[in-house]
Structures are given as structure tokens and as C-alpha cells.
Amino acid sequence: MSGLAIDPNHGEALEHLDQLYQTNEGWPELSEILFKRIELASDTAEIVELKSRLAVIQENRLEDVPGAIETLASIIETVVDLPLVPVTARV
């Protein structure tokens, strides 16, 4: 039984799964792990690093450009702590 089956919020288990999926190129699984790690992280620098990795995987490995753009926008929100103007807004 995996560590996540016992405790899905176990940080160390998530880090090990992160490394495992990265090594084995399990991109969909890695993106799920990164989402969970982002959800549990409290340090801004760690959140930015995890979101940056996620955006690269979304764009380059999963071919999810809209998802990558959304993730990158959320980095700005994380750093600035202000809501962004929707992309569809006209100036």
C-alpha cells in the first residue's frame, strides 16, 4: 500500500512520488502530485517553484497550453497577492 493510500497529505511521500514520476516520465501523475504539493505548501518560494514546474509540464509534456497559462497567472497572484484582471478584459 502506498504512503498516499494511508495519508494523502504526507509531504515526504509526495516528494518521493514527485521524484519517481519525474524519473519515469509519468507526466499526468506528476502533475497531480504537484497540484497536491502546491495545495499543502505554505512557503511562497516553494509554491512558486512547484507552480513553475507544473506549468512547464502542462505546456511541454501534456500539451495543455491553457492550463500552463492559468498556472503561470496563479504564480503572479501568489507573489503579488492580488487578483489578476481577466484575460478577456479590454483596456
Side-chain angles (χ1 to χ4, degrees), residues 83-90:
L84 292 176
V85 176
V87 175
T88 57
R90 303 268 188 235

Side-chain angles (χ1 to χ4, degrees), residues 67-78:
I69 292 169
E70 185 176 322
T71 300
L72 291 171
S74 76
I75 291 172
I76 297 168
E77 289 178 347
T78 298

Side-chain angles (χ1 to χ4, degrees), residues 1 7 23 29-30 33 36 38 46 49 52-53 72 78 81 84 91:
M1 184 178 289
D7 181 2
T23 300
E29 297 85 2
L30 179 56
I33 295 299
K36 187 64 175 175
I38 291 164
E46 180 183 8
E49 186 267 332
S52 297
R53 287 181 57 211
L72 291 171
T78 298
D81 200 28
L84 292 176
V91 179

